Amino acid sequence: MKKLKLLLIVILLGYTSTSWAQSKVSGVVTDDENVPLPGASILIKGTAVGVVTDIDGNYSLNVPGQNSVLVFSFVGFNSEEVTVGTQSVINLAMVPDITSMEEIVVIGYGEVEKKDVTGAIGSVATEDIVRANPVQAAKAIQGQVAGVIVSKQNSRPGAGYDINIRGLSSIDYSNEPLVVIDGVMGGDMNALNPSDIESMDILKDASSTAIYGSRGANGVILITTKRGTKGKPVVSYSGYVGVKTPAHLPDMMNAQQFYKASVTDHELNGGTPMTFTSTELDMVNSGKSTDWLDEISGPAMQTNHSISVGGGSDNTNYHFSAGYLNEGGNLDNTKFQRYNIKGSMDSKVTDFLKIGFTANYSNTKREVGSNEALRSAYRARPTGVPYYDDILNPDENQDFEWNGYAAWMGINDKQVLNPLIESDPYNFQDETRGNNFFGNAYIELMPIEGLSIKSSLSASVNNSRFGQFRGTMTKDRKTTLLPRSFRQTDDISNYTLDNIITYKKEVGDHDFTITGAQSSFQERNEEMDSYVDEIPYNSLWYAYGTGRPAELTTKLTERSLLSYMGRVIYGFKSKYILTLTSRWDGASQLSEGNKWDFFPSAAVAWRLGEENFIQNIDAISDMKLRVSYGLVGNSAVDPYSTQAKLINTPYDFDGSPAFGFAPENLADRNLKWEKSKELNIGIDMGFLNNRISASLEVYSRKTVDLIYNEQIPTSTGFEEIATNVGEVANRGVELSLNTVNIVKNKFKWTTSINFSRNVNEVLSIGTAGLQQDIATGLFVGHPISAHYDYEFDGIWQLDEAAAAAEYDQVPGSVKVVDQNDDGMISSNEDIDDRTVLGSEQPDWTMGITNKLTYGNFDLSFLIYTSQGATYRNSMLSGTMGEVGTGRYNALNMNYWTVDNPSNEYYGPGIASNPYRGAIFYQDASFVRISDITFGYTLPRTALEKFGFSNFRVYAQVTNPFVFHDFDGMDPEFNTSTYNDGIPSATYLVGLNFSF
């Protein structure tokens, strides 16, 4: 009995000592945005003891001692280990696995897990789209995806973007990628509300785009909009309000600088000084100056509001949204408005039947004001005055008054009308209204496990009306002629019918996804252009019956495409993946016998990260090697190009006028597919538990049988013919790098970098070994969009007078390179001192996005740079580059005088200056801070108190800084002042919440 008592005491003491050694640890597990993670696993390292978090992310666990290590894990997040020490409360914000292999990627007619991707695909997630706050969806891609160059077309409100994937291939036709929005092919990105976008996947290599055949020849952008998910209805709002202000404006001369260049320095350089009116001389002598750009511009409001509701049950989910955007223009009477309505629903009717639809409607109104007003504001002399009462002697320049304004600004020159008069909406209006609808409806049968039979019908309707009115008080009407107006209507409609069958099967270590599809596409485009002259009153583009009809043209264009395609994705042991794709396309616009062609591709991937010899390397978290090769076609030639069209032409029959018909073009009856062959080698890598991830792509694409408008002898009666001739190559490298730089306590800093370099080269431009076509700017061995001219070599200086004279030049004029050192500057067939100066395509581009969070605060900014592009500067080559001529204002350049021997710009008053055009070519490299955003998200306790699931406020500035050496307009694009707005920066505050 005593032995039994002693044994019980020993057991109790042992139990007690063990209990005393244990301690309790509790806490909350959240994601990086402070949202609780239910079901997260917490294990004591080296044991099977652990717990999972409850619905609010809470956990509680007994641990053996201070040396215990807790392992936190959750799907889609990096696992983390924490030593307990003396802590009794351990709260953890888990870091997302930025290279999670479970991520779903849309690949065209299907989707795969990221781990099974074999081609070159880039993605932009909804968080990056929301962060950027773009007016147009395309802006969200700029600087985010390697190999994709996105350039704004101009600074006008509502302006679109040009998108180029992996360089230019087509010479005379579009290089724009195919846009697919929720299955609707050829969708208009400008019609989308960016807040509705869930993700954008960009297919870059031929293997990825081959499933789209000819429609994907220039790459494919797959846009997936937001859809509902199972659960109670969630209402979300996002909106902002801000001000857009003129920024980064070119430096124009003021009145005193203009007078000095046109009179003082003009005379100093031996020229004849310009004359000025008494009003202008008074402005100069009194130190006054008129900033005409400032007179017609100013800050404008920009606001955007979007609201959505989404939810669902076990069988049906839905998502509906509405949006409104108002982007004011910085020029007077300019703005862009867009209204959006979107809806989608998916319903599983039975276990084997699913149906759904997506519909998107937008209504837009774009007003860009007078084309001439901005150009006049740059041209108008700063010595002029806006108001008639400020003119000292109106008779001196035959000036007159219009609504208080001085028509000719007190200047004795009738080439520029007062910009304030030009910009008045009574005199000039330019308006485009558009209605855009696109939608998709589908029915999907799943008769047996793994088999899906899906039919979808996509339709798009785009109606637009452009109207322009030019009143009497405009330069176009010379202040004396009656008004005129233009009206253009476009009705574009198309549909695509897709029938897709997909079968997925796993057999042991083997898994298959087999897809077959048939697609038919039909498009119809009706266009009418009209022009009416001598309108008796300001009736815009409506009361055409009151004017004199001057022109009326109508046009109907139709085209169709029929396609059959197949794809097999085979995986073995989740390590080796093979993708085989084929597509047969038939295009209506090609010639008989050449309408159909076959486009195959193949890609393989090896998931090295699953191999033991990689898993044994602690620093490497994951690795995948990819190789692909494919052939795609392009039929992007205008319909009816293989037929000779007729035009109306006048004839004289023995003195009597008559009209007949004549051929408009010479047709190539053998016009066939343009084809591109592309090899892509890629490697995806993850290091240090995926805190560092990288993707490297190397590619080579060769395009043959280019569809090109070849120049032909005029003796044929025509100037060109659309035919297959020439070859172009694109070779490049792309690098994407994502890093989690710091994760400590409440602070986290991540960086995403993408770098692209593409080398574009014309390989051939004819069948007769032609090496250059100066008229069209094509040169073998150089890129498309190359510039060919004399090479600028500085300004002739006073001590070079003798050398300058040998070239019939004088000091102060532009010096160009004598390429063959023969003592002459020539531009004939035998001796040509002109050379290729560069290309409008950049050498390389890079985007860097930094995101920093501390607790509930977040800060992000995007840096984007484009390097190596060359433009013929449209401002310098226009009147704004004519320094010292006295007629128009000019850029404030460091020009040459005998007292200022500048080597940058020629001197005013210099008589001999035949090669001044060489100075207009400039490096358009730039570095831009695209946006800076600072936000605050309410903590979880506050959200619960007020009933929100998310609530964030933020402030943002877009385009605050641009660094470049380009004179004049924005170096990202090189538009003229006649077709542009003015650069701007936007400052806004916004709010996002859901409940």
Side-chain angles (χ1 to χ4, degrees), residues 142 198 288 419 456 518 527 533-534 588 669 689 789 988:
Q142 188 180 64
E198 181 68 28
K288 299 177 182 178
S456 69
Q518 177 270 329
E527 180 181 328
D533 212 342
E534 298 178 7
S588 64
R669 295 289 185 179
N689 201 25
D789 210 327
L988 54 88

Side-chain angles (χ1 to χ4, degrees), residues 560-581:
S560 61
L561 185 74
L562 183 62
S563 307
Y564 301 93
M565 66 216 74
R567 179 176 61 211
V568 176
I569 302 176
Y570 165 69
F572 178 63
K573 292 186 175 181
S574 296
K575 293 181 182 181
Y576 316 103
I577 304 106
L578 170 67
T579 302
L580 299 174
T581 307

Side-chain angles (χ1 to χ4, degrees), residues 828-874:
N828 53 54
E829 291 184 6
D830 298 324
I831 303 175
D832 194 344
D833 287 301
R834 293 174 297 175
T835 186
V836 175
L837 302 175
S839 167
E840 295 182 4
Q841 299 183 60
D843 292 335
W844 58 273
T845 60
M846 182 166 64
I848 305 174
T849 304
N850 282 280
K851 300 178 184 178
L852 303 95
T853 59
Y854 181 77
N856 296 96
F857 293 93
D858 62 86
L859 173 68
S860 65
F861 57 93
L862 168 63
I863 303 171
Y864 178 68
T865 181
S866 173
Q867 298 290 320
T870 298
Y871 281 129
R872 189 174 193 268
N873 190 317
S874 63

Side-chain angles (χ1 to χ4, degrees), residues 365-382:
K365 179 183 178 183
R366 189 178 185 218
E367 300 173 67
V368 298
S370 167
N371 299 74
E372 192 62 52
L374 179 61
R375 182 165 66 175
S376 294
Y378 280 114
R379 284 179 165 180
R381 298 180 188 174

Side-chain angles (χ1 to χ4, degrees), residues 676-892:
S676 295
K677 309 169 186 178
E678 182 172 7
L679 172 67
N680 189 94
I681 301 174
I683 185 169
D684 306 318
M685 299 165 286
F687 304 96
L688 304 178
N689 201 25
N690 285 333
R691 288 191 63 163
I692 301 174
S693 65
S695 292
L696 178 67
E697 310 280 353
V698 179
Y699 63 89
S700 177
R701 183 175 74 231
K702 183 179 180 180
T703 304
V704 299
D705 294 330
L706 283 170
I707 300 177
Y708 167 53
N709 291 326
E710 185 181 25
Q711 304 296 307
I712 57 177
T714 54
S715 58
T716 63
F718 304 93
E719 295 181 352
E720 60 184 25
I721 181 175
T723 187
N724 297 100
V725 61
E727 299 178 359
V728 171
N730 284 279
R731 296 178 291 271
V733 60
E734 301 164 357
L735 174 65
S736 299
L737 179 66
N738 298 286
T739 62
V740 180
N741 306 315
I742 299 175
V743 180
K744 188 173 183 180
N745 298 327
K746 296 181 179 181
F747 179 70
K748 184 178 70 170
W749 171 27
T750 64
T751 301
S752 297
I753 302 174
N754 65 83
F755 169 87
S756 309
R757 173 168 171 75
N758 180 77
V759 178
N760 179 259
E761 181 183 1
V762 177
L763 302 178
S764 170
I765 55 176
T767 57
L770 189 66
Q771 294 299 299
Q772 63 182 33
D773 187 346
I774 297 175
T776 56
L778 293 177
F779 305 88
V780 172
H782 295 279
I784 297 173
S785 302
H787 293 293
Y788 186 76
D789 210 327
Y790 298 112
E791 182 180 357
F792 177 64
D793 196 29
I795 305 298
W796 288 109
Q797 300 300 321
L798 291 171
D799 59 359
E800 297 176 305
E806 294 180 8
Y807 292 94
D808 295 325
Q809 294 289 283
V810 296
S813 60
V814 172
K815 183 198 304 184
V816 297
V817 176
D818 181 1
Q819 300 290 344
N820 60 359
D821 293 322
D822 63 353
M824 296 184 296
I825 302 299
S826 308
S827 60
N828 53 54
E829 291 184 6
D830 298 324
I831 303 175
D832 194 344
D833 287 301
R834 293 174 297 175
T835 186
V836 175
L837 302 175
S839 167
E840 295 182 4
Q841 299 183 60
D843 292 335
W844 58 273
T845 60
M846 182 166 64
I848 305 174
T849 304
N850 282 280
K851 300 178 184 178
L852 303 95
T853 59
Y854 181 77
N856 296 96
F857 293 93
D858 62 86
L859 173 68
S860 65
F861 57 93
L862 168 63
I863 303 171
Y864 178 68
T865 181
S866 173
Q867 298 290 320
T870 298
Y871 281 129
R872 189 174 193 268
N873 190 317
S874 63
M875 287 200 75
L876 288 179
S877 59
T879 58
M880 281 64 74
E882 297 178 0
V883 174
T885 61
R887 168 163 257 183
Y888 305 114
N889 196 13
L891 289 162
N892 185 25

